[in-house]
Amino acid sequence: MLDYETLKLVWWGLIVLLMLGFALTGGWDLGVATLLPWMGRTDDERRVVINTIGPTWEGNQTWLITFGAALFAAWPLVYAAAFSVLYVALVFTLFALFLRPVGFDYRSKLPDPRWRGAWDWGLFVGGVFPALVFGVAIGNLFLGLPFRYDETLRVSYHGGFLGLFSGFTVLTGVLAVAMLALHGAAFLYLRSDAHVAERARRATVVAGLVTAGLFAMLGVWMQSLSGFGIGRIGDVNGVVTPLQKEVVRGVGLWLANYRALPQLWLIPAAGVLLPLLACLAAWLRWRWAALAATGGSVVAIIVTAGIALFPFVLPSSIDPVSSLTAWDAVSSHKTLTIMLAVVAIFVPLIAIYTSWVYRVMRGTVTIEQIQRETHTSY
């Protein structure tokens, strides 16, 4: 049986892995929906765009649901605090996500162009808004969120919805939109042909340049932010509550892990280079290479943020001691052990059936196919 400290580290890695699973698969769904108004200029072209993701998007949500369940079981304090602090933003995100299944199912029920046009913009909102909120939320982690625990570990929130938006967090939100638009454009370029594929190719080039530029800009900006560090926390192999530790703040502390292990700088470097590589691959019309590069970009950018924050998971701006870390926000040793056994069985199953579905649904979506299968296509 693994000791408690190792389990805490393993679960930090698993949470990041589940987040990556959703960002890689659900990410191109959100990206394609974000690009929908510009990728299809006729109704048939927009149906091609929708049908590249329509048959598989529901399965991709499994990663998001599993991520939420794992967060609840492994990091209950993070789950409770995050939903208290980000409640309004998450409710708006939930309603934006509602537009996706409704839009997919109802858009083609009526031939009226105004009906279909309205649902196209609904799918656009359902793609861009969640990406923006996820990015703004991650940006707020670097600034700290206004929450604190009292002596009985009851959490209280002292901010408002508009307080989540600042120059830095808006830029992280825009980066998330650009990153997923890049990933979606490369996926659409792979799955479509003719005019839609050509527009997706150009979108990959543009989004790649924007993503690389924004990520580099945020990296420079982050050096001037006041970061968090652990002063004292006690035995992390035992039970530690959030209020038992000492937290220090200082400019540049978010880069402490990179200074301690310089080889880690390869990851943020990949976060800049891979979007540019995706641009080059799209320019050369290498479809699979472009998609592989955008997938690598998503991984590099998210892992860069995770390493910078580690061991912090949810920093507090008004009471740094209340910040939650991978050491003190976790469930019991027994719960983590049982959950690890469950994850060891079901995560590979999710990966296997997701791969199988994509193998079954592989191939290029064309206008001729949409017109031939008009009653079964979205």
Side-chain angles (χ1 to χ4, degrees):
M1 179 181 292
L2 297 175
D3 61 57
Y4 203 10
E5 181 181 357
T6 304
L7 272 174
K8 291 175 181 178
L9 284 172
V10 168
W11 270 101
W12 179 86
L14 285 172
I15 294 292
V16 174
L17 176 66
L18 293 172
M19 185 186 296
L20 289 174
F22 174 67
L24 287 172
T25 57
W28 57 45
D29 293 349
L30 297 176
V32 168
T34 298
L35 296 170
L36 174 60
W38 297 276
M39 295 296 104
R41 295 180 182 173
T42 66
D43 182 63
D44 282 339
E45 288 181 348
R46 286 191 287 274
R47 292 187 72 187
V48 166
V49 175
I50 292 171
N51 277 276
T52 59
I53 58 173
T56 53
W57 79 271
E58 287 175 297
N60 297 337
Q61 307 310 302
T62 307
W63 291 100
L64 180 61
I65 295 169
T66 307
F67 169 76
L71 198 67
F72 174 76
W75 290 350
L77 293 180
V78 175
Y79 186 90
F83 273 76
S84 298
V85 175
L86 303 171
Y87 182 77
V88 175
L90 291 176
V91 166
F92 281 131
T93 303
L94 188 61
F95 278 101
L97 289 173
F98 285 166
L99 292 172
R100 307 181 70 210
V102 181
F104 284 129
D105 287 337
Y106 284 90
R107 180 190 181 280
S108 297
K109 298 295 184 186
L110 296 176
D112 187 342
R114 290 175 298 181
W115 170 270
R116 296 189 173 191
W119 282 118
D120 288 342
W121 284 108
L123 290 170
F124 164 75
V125 172
V128 70
F129 192 81
L132 182 66
V133 170
F134 295 152
V136 168
I138 291 176
N140 272 283
L141 297 184
F142 289 97
L143 302 181
L145 291 160
F147 72 95
R148 64 158 46 96
Y149 285 99
D150 62 18
E151 63 278 3
T152 61
L153 289 184
R154 287 185 304 180
V155 64
S156 57
Y157 175 51
H158 299 270
F161 173 67
L162 295 179
L164 298 174
F165 297 91
S166 66
F168 182 80
T169 60
V170 169
L171 205 57
T172 57
V174 175
L175 171 62
V177 172
M179 179 185 74
L180 297 186
L182 167 66
H183 197 38
F187 182 75
L188 184 60
Y189 180 40
L190 179 70
R191 294 293 314 277
S192 61
D193 70 348
H195 297 301
V196 175
E198 182 57 26
R199 291 178 201 129
R201 187 181 73 86
R202 292 198 295 265
T204 303
V205 174
V206 174
L209 293 173
V210 173
T211 300
L214 286 175
F215 186 61
M217 186 186 307
L218 283 166
V220 174
W221 193 337
M222 198 165 67
Q223 296 181 48
S224 62
L225 293 181
S226 179
F228 290 64
I230 298 291
R232 181 185 58 80
I233 195 170
D235 182 13
V236 296
N237 196 35
V239 176
V240 183
T241 62
L243 301 182
Q244 288 180 306
K245 63 181 178 296
E246 291 180 358
V247 176
V248 296
R249 298 202 64 176
V251 174
L253 279 180
W254 286 135
L255 302 178
N257 291 330
Y258 291 101
R259 294 193 190 99
L261 293 172
Q263 58 269 36
L264 292 176
W265 283 109
L266 293 174
I267 298 173
V272 176
L273 294 176
L274 285 173
L276 298 177
L277 186 60
C279 292
L280 178 62
W283 185 264
L284 296 172
R285 302 180 186 278
W286 296 347
R287 300 188 184 210
W288 277 105
L291 184 62
T294 62
S297 304
V298 171
V299 173
I301 290 172
I302 292 177
V303 173
T304 294
I307 291 174
L309 287 167
F310 184 84
F312 288 91
V313 179
L314 206 64
S316 169
S317 60
I318 59 174
D319 182 22
V321 174
S322 294
S323 300
L324 296 174
T325 72
W327 308 124
D328 56 22
V330 297
S331 295
S332 68
H333 187 280
K334 183 177 181 179
T335 300
L336 293 185
T337 302
I338 294 173
M339 286 293 298
L340 183 61
V342 173
V343 166
I345 296 171
F346 285 100
V347 168
L349 282 178
I350 294 172
I352 290 170
Y353 82 67
T354 300
S355 303
W356 178 77
V357 167
Y358 276 95
R359 176 172 174 75
V360 171
M361 303 305 298
R362 69 186 184 279
T364 303
V365 181
T366 65
I367 290 178
E368 292 74 19
Q369 178 186 347
I370 295 296
Q371 292 174 339
R372 187 173 60 250
E373 302 170 358
T374 187
H375 295 297
T376 55
S377 299
Y378 288 97

